[in-house]
Amino acid sequence: MAKDLDVQEGGAPAARDYKDPPPAPLLDMEELGKWSLYRAVIAEFVATLLFLYVSVLTVIGYKAQTDATAGGVDCGGVGILGIAWAFGGMIFVLVYCTAGISGGHINPAVTVGLFLARKVSLVRTVLYIVAQCLGAICGCGLVKAFQSSYYTRYGGGANELADGYNKGTGLGAEIIGTFVLVYTVFSATDPKRSARDSHVPVLAPLPIGFAVFMVHLATIPITGTGINPARSFGAAVIYNKEKAWDDQWIFWVGPMIGAAAAALYHQFILRAAAIKALNSFRSSA
C-alpha cells in the first residue's frame, strides 16, 4: 500500500493512505448475469447515438451554410471552431451523464485503453464496442432519415483523408490525437490523483471534453478528426461511399495505437507500475 502526503496548515505533512483498486478480471463471465452490465451497455449505445446525431448534424449544417452554389457564404455557419465545440461539448455532456453508469467511454479507443490498463474486463470491452458502433450507426441513420438530401450532398459527416495529405500523415494525426484524448481520460479519472489532490476539485468530463475540442481544431483539416472508431465507422456505414471505406482503416488503426500508447505511458511511466511490480517481487524474494 502506497502512502501520499497532504500538507496541512503550517506545512506539516499528513499521511493519507491510498490503495490502488484491484485490476478488473480479464474474463469475468459472472458479469453477464448482472443487470448493471446491460444497463451500462445501453447507456453507451444511447450516448454514442446522441453524440453522432448532434455532431454530424453540425458538420452537415456548416457545409450547407457555406455552400456558395446553394446561396451560402464563406463566413456562414459555425466554422471549424463551432464543429470542434460541438464534438467537445457533446462529449463533456455525455460523459457527465453516463460516467456513473458505464464510465462514459463513448469511444472504442477509450474502452480498449482502459482494458489494457485492466480497468474493465474483456466481456465489458467487447459489449461496449459493439454498443458504441451500433449507436453510431443509428445516430447517423437518424440524421440521414431527417435530412436525406443534405446528408448525401454534404458527405454525411464521414471521415476521409483530405486532399494533399498522404495516409502516413493521416495515421499520425489519428495516433497523436487519440493519445491526447486517452491520456486525458486516464489523468482525469485517476483515483490516486483524486486522493492526493482532493483540494483541487476536477470535474472529469470537463478536461475530457476540452481534449476532444483541441484535437478537433488540430486535425479537422487533415482527417476530419476521427479519434473514435465508432464515430468513423457509423458515418461510413450510412454514407457508404468508396472513399470513406478506403480510408476507414486509418480511423481504427490510428486510434487503437494511440490508446495503447497512452495506457502504457500512464500506467508504466507516470504510475510506475513496472517499478512497483519489480519492488514487490524483490521484497517477497
PDB file of all heavy atoms in Angstrom, residues 244-267:
ATOM      1  N   ALA A 244     -14.761   6.831 -48.238  1.00  0.00           N
ATOM      2  CA  ALA A 244     -14.889   6.653 -46.786  1.00  0.00           C
ATOM      3  C   ALA A 244     -14.429   5.262 -46.360  1.00  0.00           C
ATOM      4  O   ALA A 244     -13.777   5.103 -45.317  1.00  0.00           O
ATOM      5  CB  ALA A 244     -16.334   6.896 -46.350  1.00  0.00           C
ATOM      6  N   TRP A 245     -14.716   4.251 -47.168  1.00  0.00           N
ATOM      7  CA  TRP A 245     -14.298   2.886 -46.829  1.00  0.00           C
ATOM      8  C   TRP A 245     -12.811   2.679 -47.094  1.00  0.00           C
ATOM      9  O   TRP A 245     -12.141   1.953 -46.345  1.00  0.00           O
ATOM     10  CB  TRP A 245     -15.125   1.877 -47.615  1.00  0.00           C
ATOM     11  CG  TRP A 245     -16.519   1.711 -47.086  1.00  0.00           C
ATOM     12  CD1 TRP A 245     -17.680   1.967 -47.737  1.00  0.00           C
ATOM     13  CD2 TRP A 245     -16.896   1.247 -45.784  1.00  0.00           C
ATOM     14  NE1 TRP A 245     -18.756   1.699 -46.932  1.00  0.00           N
ATOM     15  CE2 TRP A 245     -18.302   1.252 -45.725  1.00  0.00           C
ATOM     16  CE3 TRP A 245     -16.178   0.830 -44.654  1.00  0.00           C
ATOM     17  CZ2 TRP A 245     -19.007   0.858 -44.592  1.00  0.00           C
ATOM     18  CZ3 TRP A 245     -16.873   0.441 -43.516  1.00  0.00           C
ATOM     19  CH2 TRP A 245     -18.275   0.450 -43.497  1.00  0.00           C
ATOM     20  N   ASP A 246     -12.277   3.298 -48.132  1.00  0.00           N
ATOM     21  CA  ASP A 246     -10.853   3.147 -48.431  1.00  0.00           C
ATOM     22  C   ASP A 246      -9.983   3.673 -47.295  1.00  0.00           C
ATOM     23  O   ASP A 246      -8.910   3.134 -47.008  1.00  0.00           O
ATOM     24  CB  ASP A 246     -10.500   3.889 -49.730  1.00  0.00           C
ATOM     25  CG  ASP A 246     -10.984   3.159 -50.969  1.00  0.00           C
ATOM     26  OD1 ASP A 246     -11.327   1.964 -50.859  1.00  0.00           O
ATOM     27  OD2 ASP A 246     -11.031   3.785 -52.051  1.00  0.00           O
ATOM     28  N   ASP A 247     -10.437   4.752 -46.661  1.00  0.00           N
ATOM     29  CA  ASP A 247      -9.654   5.371 -45.580  1.00  0.00           C
ATOM     30  C   ASP A 247     -10.038   4.857 -44.197  1.00  0.00           C
ATOM     31  O   ASP A 247      -9.455   5.277 -43.201  1.00  0.00           O
ATOM     32  CB  ASP A 247      -9.852   6.898 -45.604  1.00  0.00           C
ATOM     33  CG  ASP A 247      -9.275   7.536 -46.852  1.00  0.00           C
ATOM     34  OD1 ASP A 247      -8.416   6.904 -47.498  1.00  0.00           O
ATOM     35  OD2 ASP A 247      -9.691   8.663 -47.195  1.00  0.00           O
ATOM     36  N   GLN A 248     -11.001   3.945 -44.127  1.00  0.00           N
ATOM     37  CA  GLN A 248     -11.545   3.522 -42.835  1.00  0.00           C
ATOM     38  C   GLN A 248     -10.486   2.922 -41.918  1.00  0.00           C
ATOM     39  O   GLN A 248     -10.518   3.129 -40.695  1.00  0.00           O
ATOM     40  CB  GLN A 248     -12.682   2.513 -43.062  1.00  0.00           C
ATOM     41  CG  GLN A 248     -13.395   2.054 -41.794  1.00  0.00           C
ATOM     42  CD  GLN A 248     -14.175   3.156 -41.104  1.00  0.00           C
ATOM     43  OE1 GLN A 248     -14.516   3.052 -39.933  1.00  0.00           O
ATOM     44  NE2 GLN A 248     -14.463   4.237 -41.817  1.00  0.00           N
ATOM     45  N   TRP A 249      -9.524   2.200 -42.484  1.00  0.00           N
ATOM     46  CA  TRP A 249      -8.514   1.556 -41.640  1.00  0.00           C
ATOM     47  C   TRP A 249      -7.720   2.570 -40.825  1.00  0.00           C
ATOM     48  O   TRP A 249      -7.287   2.268 -39.698  1.00  0.00           O
ATOM     49  CB  TRP A 249      -7.566   0.716 -42.500  1.00  0.00           C
ATOM     50  CG  TRP A 249      -6.664   1.506 -43.409  1.00  0.00           C
ATOM     51  CD1 TRP A 249      -6.923   1.924 -44.666  1.00  0.00           C
ATOM     52  CD2 TRP A 249      -5.349   1.996 -43.091  1.00  0.00           C
ATOM     53  NE1 TRP A 249      -5.868   2.632 -45.187  1.00  0.00           N
ATOM     54  CE2 TRP A 249      -4.886   2.687 -44.238  1.00  0.00           C
ATOM     55  CE3 TRP A 249      -4.517   1.900 -41.974  1.00  0.00           C
ATOM     56  CZ2 TRP A 249      -3.632   3.285 -44.276  1.00  0.00           C
ATOM     57  CZ3 TRP A 249      -3.266   2.500 -42.006  1.00  0.00           C
ATOM     58  CH2 TRP A 249      -2.833   3.173 -43.150  1.00  0.00           C
ATOM     59  N   ILE A 250      -7.528   3.765 -41.379  1.00  0.00           N
ATOM     60  CA  ILE A 250      -6.794   4.806 -40.655  1.00  0.00           C
ATOM     61  C   ILE A 250      -7.492   5.132 -39.341  1.00  0.00           C
ATOM     62  O   ILE A 250      -6.839   5.370 -38.316  1.00  0.00           O
ATOM     63  CB  ILE A 250      -6.672   6.076 -41.521  1.00  0.00           C
ATOM     64  CG1 ILE A 250      -5.796   5.806 -42.751  1.00  0.00           C
ATOM     65  CG2 ILE A 250      -6.123   7.252 -40.715  1.00  0.00           C
ATOM     66  CD1 ILE A 250      -5.764   6.964 -43.727  1.00  0.00           C
ATOM     67  N   PHE A 251      -8.827   5.117 -39.362  1.00  0.00           N
ATOM     68  CA  PHE A 251      -9.615   5.545 -38.212  1.00  0.00           C
ATOM     69  C   PHE A 251      -9.871   4.421 -37.209  1.00  0.00           C
ATOM     70  O   PHE A 251     -10.582   4.617 -36.227  1.00  0.00           O
ATOM     71  CB  PHE A 251     -10.925   6.161 -38.707  1.00  0.00           C
ATOM     72  CG  PHE A 251     -10.695   7.311 -39.648  1.00  0.00           C
ATOM     73  CD1 PHE A 251     -10.884   7.166 -41.010  1.00  0.00           C
ATOM     74  CD2 PHE A 251     -10.240   8.522 -39.179  1.00  0.00           C
ATOM     75  CE1 PHE A 251     -10.648   8.223 -41.882  1.00  0.00           C
ATOM     76  CE2 PHE A 251      -9.993   9.582 -40.033  1.00  0.00           C
ATOM     77  CZ  PHE A 251     -10.197   9.432 -41.388  1.00  0.00           C
ATOM     78  N   TRP A 252      -9.289   3.262 -37.487  1.00  0.00           N
ATOM     79  CA  TRP A 252      -9.265   2.179 -36.499  1.00  0.00           C
ATOM     80  C   TRP A 252      -7.830   1.935 -36.012  1.00  0.00           C
ATOM     81  O   TRP A 252      -7.596   1.892 -34.802  1.00  0.00           O
ATOM     82  CB  TRP A 252      -9.829   0.885 -37.118  1.00  0.00           C
ATOM     83  CG  TRP A 252     -11.324   0.886 -37.172  1.00  0.00           C
ATOM     84  CD1 TRP A 252     -12.106   1.359 -38.179  1.00  0.00           C
ATOM     85  CD2 TRP A 252     -12.208   0.405 -36.160  1.00  0.00           C
ATOM     86  NE1 TRP A 252     -13.435   1.195 -37.861  1.00  0.00           N
ATOM     87  CE2 TRP A 252     -13.527   0.606 -36.632  1.00  0.00           C
ATOM     88  CE3 TRP A 252     -12.022  -0.185 -34.907  1.00  0.00           C
ATOM     89  CZ2 TRP A 252     -14.651   0.251 -35.881  1.00  0.00           C
ATOM     90  CZ3 TRP A 252     -13.137  -0.554 -34.161  1.00  0.00           C
ATOM     91  CH2 TRP A 252     -14.423  -0.336 -34.647  1.00  0.00           C
ATOM     92  N   VAL A 253      -6.897   1.821 -36.940  1.00  0.00           N
ATOM     93  CA  VAL A 253      -5.513   1.538 -36.554  1.00  0.00           C
ATOM     94  C   VAL A 253      -4.925   2.699 -35.750  1.00  0.00           C
ATOM     95  O   VAL A 253      -4.321   2.491 -34.686  1.00  0.00           O
ATOM     96  CB  VAL A 253      -4.654   1.255 -37.803  1.00  0.00           C
ATOM     97  CG1 VAL A 253      -3.177   1.094 -37.421  1.00  0.00           C
ATOM     98  CG2 VAL A 253      -5.144  -0.003 -38.516  1.00  0.00           C
ATOM     99  N   GLY A 254      -5.095   3.939 -36.242  1.00  0.00           N
ATOM    100  CA  GLY A 254      -4.539   5.097 -35.551  1.00  0.00           C
ATOM    101  C   GLY A 254      -5.043   5.243 -34.126  1.00  0.00           C
ATOM    102  O   GLY A 254      -4.239   5.312 -33.177  1.00  0.00           O
ATOM    103  N   PRO A 255      -6.357   5.278 -33.912  1.00  0.00           N
ATOM    104  CA  PRO A 255      -6.858   5.406 -32.537  1.00  0.00           C
ATOM    105  C   PRO A 255      -6.456   4.264 -31.613  1.00  0.00           C
ATOM    106  O   PRO A 255      -6.174   4.499 -30.434  1.00  0.00           O
ATOM    107  CB  PRO A 255      -8.387   5.452 -32.739  1.00  0.00           C
ATOM    108  CG  PRO A 255      -8.562   6.059 -34.081  1.00  0.00           C
ATOM    109  CD  PRO A 255      -7.434   5.493 -34.904  1.00  0.00           C
ATOM    110  N   MET A 256      -6.409   3.045 -32.129  1.00  0.00           N
ATOM    111  CA  MET A 256      -6.031   1.928 -31.256  1.00  0.00           C
ATOM    112  C   MET A 256      -4.564   2.025 -30.843  1.00  0.00           C
ATOM    113  O   MET A 256      -4.211   1.744 -29.692  1.00  0.00           O
ATOM    114  CB  MET A 256      -6.309   0.598 -31.957  1.00  0.00           C
ATOM    115  CG  MET A 256      -7.788   0.314 -32.162  1.00  0.00           C
ATOM    116  SD  MET A 256      -8.742   0.428 -30.617  1.00  0.00           S
ATOM    117  CE  MET A 256     -10.406   0.188 -31.227  1.00  0.00           C
ATOM    118  N   ILE A 257      -3.693   2.427 -31.765  1.00  0.00           N
ATOM    119  CA  ILE A 257      -2.281   2.621 -31.407  1.00  0.00           C
ATOM    120  C   ILE A 257      -2.147   3.754 -30.399  1.00  0.00           C
ATOM    121  O   ILE A 257      -1.421   3.644 -29.400  1.00  0.00           O
ATOM    122  CB  ILE A 257      -1.435   2.906 -32.660  1.00  0.00           C
ATOM    123  CG1 ILE A 257      -1.389   1.684 -33.574  1.00  0.00           C
ATOM    124  CG2 ILE A 257      -0.011   3.327 -32.271  1.00  0.00           C
ATOM    125  CD1 ILE A 257      -0.680   1.926 -34.893  1.00  0.00           C
ATOM    126  N   GLY A 258      -2.836   4.859 -30.649  1.00  0.00           N
ATOM    127  CA  GLY A 258      -2.773   5.994 -29.730  1.00  0.00           C
ATOM    128  C   GLY A 258      -3.295   5.643 -28.350  1.00  0.00           C
ATOM    129  O   GLY A 258      -2.711   6.043 -27.327  1.00  0.00           O
ATOM    130  N   ALA A 259      -4.389   4.872 -28.284  1.00  0.00           N
ATOM    131  CA  ALA A 259      -4.959   4.474 -26.999  1.00  0.00           C
ATOM    132  C   ALA A 259      -4.009   3.553 -26.241  1.00  0.00           C
ATOM    133  O   ALA A 259      -3.821   3.700 -25.025  1.00  0.00           O
ATOM    134  CB  ALA A 259      -6.305   3.788 -27.219  1.00  0.00           C
ATOM    135  N   ALA A 260      -3.418   2.596 -26.951  1.00  0.00           N
ATOM    136  CA  ALA A 260      -2.476   1.678 -26.305  1.00  0.00           C
ATOM    137  C   ALA A 260      -1.254   2.427 -25.775  1.00  0.00           C
ATOM    138  O   ALA A 260      -0.788   2.170 -24.655  1.00  0.00           O
ATOM    139  CB  ALA A 260      -2.050   0.593 -27.294  1.00  0.00           C
ATOM    140  N   ALA A 261      -0.746   3.369 -26.560  1.00  0.00           N
ATOM    141  CA  ALA A 261       0.418   4.149 -26.126  1.00  0.00           C
ATOM    142  C   ALA A 261       0.093   4.981 -24.896  1.00  0.00           C
ATOM    143  O   ALA A 261       0.904   5.075 -23.961  1.00  0.00           O
ATOM    144  CB  ALA A 261       0.888   5.049 -27.270  1.00  0.00           C
ATOM    145  N   ALA A 262      -1.093   5.582 -24.866  1.00  0.00           N
ATOM    146  CA  ALA A 262      -1.494   6.394 -23.710  1.00  0.00           C
ATOM    147  C   ALA A 262      -1.650   5.530 -22.462  1.00  0.00           C
ATOM    148  O   ALA A 262      -1.241   5.929 -21.363  1.00  0.00           O
ATOM    149  CB  ALA A 262      -2.800   7.123 -24.020  1.00  0.00           C
ATOM    150  N   ALA A 263      -2.235   4.336 -22.623  1.00  0.00           N
ATOM    151  CA  ALA A 263      -2.407   3.437 -21.478  1.00  0.00           C
ATOM    152  C   ALA A 263      -1.057   3.009 -20.913  1.00  0.00           C
ATOM    153  O   ALA A 263      -0.845   3.028 -19.688  1.00  0.00           O
ATOM    154  CB  ALA A 263      -3.228   2.216 -21.894  1.00  0.00           C
ATOM    155  N   LEU A 264      -0.137   2.629 -21.796  1.00  0.00           N
ATOM    156  CA  LEU A 264       1.183   2.201 -21.342  1.00  0.00           C
ATOM    157  C   LEU A 264       1.939   3.351 -20.694  1.00  0.00           C
ATOM    158  O   LEU A 264       2.606   3.165 -19.659  1.00  0.00           O
ATOM    159  CB  LEU A 264       1.974   1.639 -22.521  1.00  0.00           C
ATOM    160  CG  LEU A 264       1.439   0.330 -23.117  1.00  0.00           C
ATOM    161  CD1 LEU A 264       2.212  -0.028 -24.377  1.00  0.00           C
ATOM    162  CD2 LEU A 264       1.523  -0.795 -22.095  1.00  0.00           C
ATOM    163  N   TYR A 265       1.864   4.535 -21.288  1.00  0.00           N
ATOM    164  CA  TYR A 265       2.562   5.703 -20.745  1.00  0.00           C
ATOM    165  C   TYR A 265       2.046   6.045 -19.345  1.00  0.00           C
ATOM    166  O   TYR A 265       2.831   6.265 -18.411  1.00  0.00           O
ATOM    167  CB  TYR A 265       2.373   6.894 -21.680  1.00  0.00           C
ATOM    168  CG  TYR A 265       2.922   8.198 -21.155  1.00  0.00           C
ATOM    169  CD1 TYR A 265       4.279   8.374 -20.941  1.00  0.00           C
ATOM    170  CD2 TYR A 265       2.065   9.269 -20.866  1.00  0.00           C
ATOM    171  CE1 TYR A 265       4.793   9.570 -20.453  1.00  0.00           C
ATOM    172  CE2 TYR A 265       2.559  10.470 -20.386  1.00  0.00           C
ATOM    173  CZ  TYR A 265       3.916  10.617 -20.174  1.00  0.00           C
ATOM    174  OH  TYR A 265       4.408  11.805 -19.691  1.00  0.00           O
ATOM    175  N   HIS A 266       0.720   6.075 -19.202  1.00  0.00           N
ATOM    176  CA  HIS A 266       0.157   6.449 -17.906  1.00  0.00           C
ATOM    177  C   HIS A 266       0.427   5.395 -16.839  1.00  0.00           C
ATOM    178  O   HIS A 266       0.840   5.708 -15.720  1.00  0.00           O
ATOM    179  CB  HIS A 266      -1.347   6.687 -18.025  1.00  0.00           C
ATOM    180  CG  HIS A 266      -1.963   7.186 -16.754  1.00  0.00           C
ATOM    181  ND1 HIS A 266      -2.484   6.346 -15.799  1.00  0.00           N
ATOM    182  CD2 HIS A 266      -2.119   8.449 -16.274  1.00  0.00           C
ATOM    183  CE1 HIS A 266      -2.942   7.067 -14.782  1.00  0.00           C
ATOM    184  NE2 HIS A 266      -2.731   8.328 -15.044  1.00  0.00           N
ATOM    185  N   GLN A 267       0.222   4.126 -17.187  1.00  0.00           N
ATOM    186  CA  GLN A 267       0.338   3.072 -16.190  1.00  0.00           C
ATOM    187  C   GLN A 267       1.777   2.740 -15.828  1.00  0.00           C
ATOM    188  O   GLN A 267       2.090   2.542 -14.656  1.00  0.00           O
ATOM    189  CB  GLN A 267      -0.350   1.801 -16.705  1.00  0.00           C
ATOM    190  CG  GLN A 267      -1.864   1.929 -16.816  1.00  0.00           C
ATOM    191  CD  GLN A 267      -2.531   2.153 -15.480  1.00  0.00           C
ATOM    192  OE1 GLN A 267      -2.965   3.267 -15.174  1.00  0.00           O
ATOM    193  NE2 GLN A 267      -2.606   1.126 -14.671  1.00  0.00           N
TER     194      GLN A 267
END
